[in-house]
């Protein structure tokens, strides 16, 4: 029998992107852009993602690094304020067993011509199958990948 | 235009009930039992309530003072381990304003013949419409109502 445990944790990641808040928001709302930096962002062997970016919208994705262990993601959008804020609840599962449940807040704050993104995750990490540190590292990589969406403009600007 | 802000906060409440984990779990899982204690202040008219207790299932409660602001609770079940754990993501609305998005974890741990319930709320409180202290008071009220329901069952 699984020994049940819950580790509750909150972590915050901040990035400043060389793009307007509208452009950063669009990288979350546009399925093509989000496929690039999010669904396929880590270059895994199995990666599929169904987008549904609207309040109440339900997204589902599957990811696998090796083709063996499959991670899946269920997301529901709880709040969307265009160019300003996105809040979603999501669970992650490993081979169908829940490893976490979280609420994530993405805030976009203009700073001159740039945008500060503040990502706050409030998570419940389950049964020792996942940790806040691993999750934070995953999001740091993804948010670095999001930054590459804006790199060409900053070079030509 | 509404000034936008988010305040993130976490609080934890603990209760020990004179009932087995299975009976406490059932008070959350059974829509008829949950409707008895999961409600606003006693003076509020009974609102519309729906519960589909399974992972991915929805729960909704609308209520409020007669003729006053409508308080709407809109939830989706994220994790369920029978007799041990329930995790709910929910948002609260006052009329048409979304005032918070939260993750609620309920852990049930055997404690002698009774159960220790650990309630953890991790919330994003929006645009200054809500504050943590008020949510904590509301949650204390709910856990007290749950206690009265379990006590009532003990008398039967």
């Amino acid at each position: 029998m699984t020994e049940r445990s819950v580790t509750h944790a909150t972590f915050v990641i901040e990035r400043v992107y060389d793009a307007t808040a509208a452009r950063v928001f669009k990288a979350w709302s546009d399925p093509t852009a989000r496929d690039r930096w999010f669904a396929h962002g880590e270059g895994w062997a199995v990666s599929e993602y169904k987008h549904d970016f609207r309040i109440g919208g339900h997204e589902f994705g599957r990811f696998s690094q090796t083709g063996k262990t499959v991670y899946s993601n269920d997301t529901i959008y709880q709040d969307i304020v265009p160019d300003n804020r996105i809040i979603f609840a999501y669970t992650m599962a490993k081979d169908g067993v829940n490893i976490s449940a979280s609420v994530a807040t993405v805030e976009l704050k203009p700073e001159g011509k740039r945008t500060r993104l503040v990502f706050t995750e409030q998570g419940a990490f389950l049964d020792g199958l996942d940790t806040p540190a691993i999750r934070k590292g995953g999001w740091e990589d993804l948010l670095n990948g999001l930054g590459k969406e804006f790199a060409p403009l900053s070079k030509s600007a | 235009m509404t000034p936008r802000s988010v305040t993130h906060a976490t609080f934890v409440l603990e209760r020990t009930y004179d009932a087995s984990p299975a009976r406490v779990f059932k008070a959350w899982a059974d829509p008829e039992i949950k409707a008895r204690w999961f409600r606003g202040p006693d003076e509020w008219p009974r609102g519309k309530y729906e519960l589909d207790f399974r992972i991915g299932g929805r729960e909704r409660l609308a209520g409020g003072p007669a003729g006053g602001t409508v308080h709407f609770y809109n939830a989706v079940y994220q994790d369920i381990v029978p007799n041990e754990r329930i995790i709910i993501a929910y948002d609260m609305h006052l009329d048409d304003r979304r005032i918070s998005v939260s993750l609620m974890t309920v852990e049930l741990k055997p404690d002698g013949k009774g159960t220790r319930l650990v309630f953890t709320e991790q919330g994003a409180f929006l645009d200054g419409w809500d504050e943590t202290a008020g949510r904590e008071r509301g949650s204390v009220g709910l856990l007290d109502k749950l206690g009265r329901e379990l006590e009532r069952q003990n008398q039967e």
Side-chain angles (χ1 to χ4, degrees):
Chain A
M1 200 175 134
T2 310
E3 184 65 32
R4 300 295 179 177
S5 67
V6 184
T7 302
H8 292 97
T10 299
F11 61 82
V12 180
I13 304 170
E14 299 202 14
R15 292 285 184 274
V16 177
Y17 297 122
D18 194 5
T20 61
R23 195 145 165 256
V24 178
F25 181 83
K26 199 177 173 196
W28 289 81
S29 65
D30 176 64
T32 310
R34 214 153 75 88
D35 263 341
R36 245 186 338 253
W37 70 265
F38 180 76
H40 299 278
E42 299 186 282
W44 286 18
V46 176
S47 179
E48 50 187 75
Y49 206 82
K50 182 183 78 65
H51 297 275
D52 191 8
F53 189 81
R54 60 191 167 87
I55 293 175
H58 177 205
E59 298 193 345
F60 179 73
R62 294 169 72 242
F63 310 88
S64 180
Q65 204 160 14
T66 59
K68 289 180 187 164
T69 303
V70 176
Y71 291 89
S72 53
N73 165 342
D74 271 276
T75 297
I76 292 182
Y77 288 100
Q78 304 279 35
D79 189 46
I80 296 174
V81 180
D83 305 342
N84 182 282
R85 178 167 80 208
I86 303 164
I87 304 181
F88 52 97
Y90 76 104
T91 54
M92 290 292 303
K94 180 183 176 183
D95 293 331
V97 175
N98 275 349
I99 62 173
S100 70
S102 308
V103 169
T105 303
V106 177
E107 293 169 272
L108 304 178
K109 304 178 184 206
E111 289 190 353
K113 291 180 179 174
R114 302 171 129 205
T115 300
R116 177 176 299 272
L117 183 152
V118 182
F119 179 94
T120 305
E121 173 149 339
Q122 298 168 289
F125 298 90
L126 306 178
D127 306 328
L129 299 171
D130 201 351
T131 70
I134 292 171
R135 180 63 52 86
K136 186 178 183 189
W139 274 108
E140 284 171 339
D141 291 346
L142 287 166
L143 295 175
N144 289 343
L146 172 57
K148 290 179 189 152
E149 292 285 310
F150 314 119
L153 185 73
S154 64
K155 276 178 193 162
S156 62
Chain B
M1 199 174 132
T2 313
R4 300 296 182 174
S5 66
V6 185
T7 302
H8 293 96
T10 299
F11 63 85
V12 181
L13 303 173
E14 297 202 13
R15 288 285 185 281
T16 302
Y17 296 119
D18 184 14
S20 65
R23 200 145 63 78
V24 178
F25 181 81
K26 195 178 176 198
W28 289 80
D30 182 310
E32 278 186 34
I33 300 174
K34 193 170 182 189
R36 285 186 212 136
W37 64 268
F38 188 71
R39 49 173 303 177
D42 294 339
E43 61 273 21
W44 289 6
R46 181 165 293 267
K48 188 174 187 312
Y49 181 62
E50 304 169 2
L51 170 60
D52 178 13
F53 189 81
R54 58 188 171 85
I55 293 177
R58 301 299 183 125
E59 180 181 30
R60 296 184 178 89
L61 174 66
T69 303
V70 177
H71 296 59
F72 178 61
Y73 160 94
N74 179 42
V76 58
Y77 281 78
Q78 302 288 68
D79 190 55
I80 295 173
V81 179
N83 306 336
E84 293 188 70
R85 180 167 75 209
I86 302 165
I87 304 182
I88 302 169
Y90 74 99
D91 47 333
M92 282 296 304
H93 303 244
L94 291 180
D95 291 331
D96 57 357
R97 290 186 301 269
R98 183 175 294 99
I99 62 168
S100 68
V101 179
S102 309
L103 193 71
M104 178 203 299
T105 302
V106 176
E107 294 169 87
L108 305 179
K109 303 174 188 205
D111 184 355
K113 290 182 181 173
T115 302
R116 190 159 60 90
L117 183 153
V118 182
F119 175 104
T120 305
E121 166 124 353
Q122 297 167 285
F125 299 93
L126 306 178
D127 307 328
W129 289 112
D130 201 349
E131 32 87 30
T132 323
R135 179 61 53 87
E136 187 166 340
R137 278 194 301 277
S139 304
V140 164
L142 287 171
L143 295 181
D144 288 347
K145 285 189 171 77
L146 170 58
R148 288 197 288 276
E149 167 60 23
L150 294 167
E151 188 56 35
R152 193 193 62 75
Q153 292 177 10
N154 286 343
Q155 306 301 324
E156 282 183 354

